[in-house]
Amino acid sequence: MRPAQVEWLLGVDWTQTTAYGLGINALYVNTANREGRGIVRPGREAAELVNEIAAKLEQVRDPKTDQLMVVKAYKASEVYHGPYKSTAPDIVVGYGWGYRGSDKTATGQVPSELVSDNLDKWSGDHCADYHHVPGVLFTNKLITHEAPSLYDMAPTLLAEYGIAKRNWMVGRSVFE
């Protein structure tokens, strides 16, 4: 018996699938030699598809309000660094304020409508583009970094435990 969380994958025709989503804002190109049944050639063909999808996502508008729904489609080739870059999503969708992938799309379903109102209690989210959520760091130490970013979190935490940051990491401790 297969686990329930992968049952939806059984109905996918991978010979016709060039890209797919997992979770609420991660998109992957079905790349040959990376995915088990990948059909998109790695390199130029995959990069062109990523660029096409990202450009189209950044043009999607809410049919009711004409508001852009995606602030930025972040391409792995431009935002990820280090030895684990190859396992990152090809695109991470930075949604506009008030938008996100639905619970249905997160589980592999394809709803009939592009946009639907969220009628459930929704007190927080981690899908909004980071420009909309500047973040808050509570600390009892003085932050000396003039423009801290998410890239600085891992080096900061490592430094607090006396561990040197890895040479492939971007950022630095916010306390240096």
Side-chain angles (χ1 to χ4, degrees):
M1 183 173 209
R2 296 178 187 267
Q5 63 266 34
V6 297
E7 286 294 319
W8 64 273
L9 293 171
L10 296 176
V12 176
D13 181 354
W14 293 104
T15 66
Q16 298 297 310
T17 302
T18 56
Y20 60 96
L22 287 177
I24 46 185
N25 63 346
L27 302 175
Y28 296 83
V29 170
N30 188 21
T31 307
N33 301 328
R34 183 180 74 177
E35 269 68 31
R37 297 183 191 150
I39 62 169
V40 179
R41 286 186 299 246
R44 183 175 172 187
E45 185 177 330
E48 287 175 355
L49 184 57
V50 166
N51 290 337
E52 176 186 349
I53 292 169
K56 287 180 177 179
L57 282 169
E58 292 174 1
Q59 299 302 312
V60 176
R61 293 185 173 274
D62 185 326
K64 292 181 185 175
T65 66
D66 200 41
Q67 181 176 344
L68 284 172
M69 296 170 38
V70 174
V71 172
K72 178 81 175 152
Y74 295 94
K75 299 177 226 174
S77 62
E78 297 174 355
V79 297
Y80 290 109
H81 311 285
Y84 303 106
K85 179 178 176 177
S86 64
T87 62
D90 294 304
I91 300 171
V92 174
V93 181
Y95 288 99
W97 193 253
Y99 296 97
R100 73 175 187 103
S102 70
D103 292 341
K104 287 182 179 180
T105 58
T107 59
Q109 299 175 51
V110 182
S112 58
E113 65 281 341
L114 174 65
V115 179
S116 60
D117 292 331
N118 179 19
L119 303 176
D120 296 329
K121 182 179 179 184
W122 189 13
S123 62
D125 207 324
H126 52 225
C127 298
D129 187 84
Y130 77 93
H131 291 97
H132 292 300
V133 186
V136 176
L137 174 63
F138 293 99
T139 177
N140 62 354
K141 294 177 78 173
L142 178 65
I143 295 175
T144 57
H145 193 319
E146 288 186 26
S149 75
L150 187 56
Y151 286 127
D152 299 317
M153 289 308 300
T156 298
L157 292 171
L158 289 171
E160 289 303 294
Y161 287 97
I163 302 169
K165 88 173 189 182
R166 306 305 189 258
N167 62 357
W168 49 264
M169 287 183 162
V170 177
R172 63 183 177 98
S173 172
V174 300
F175 305 125
E176 292 177 352

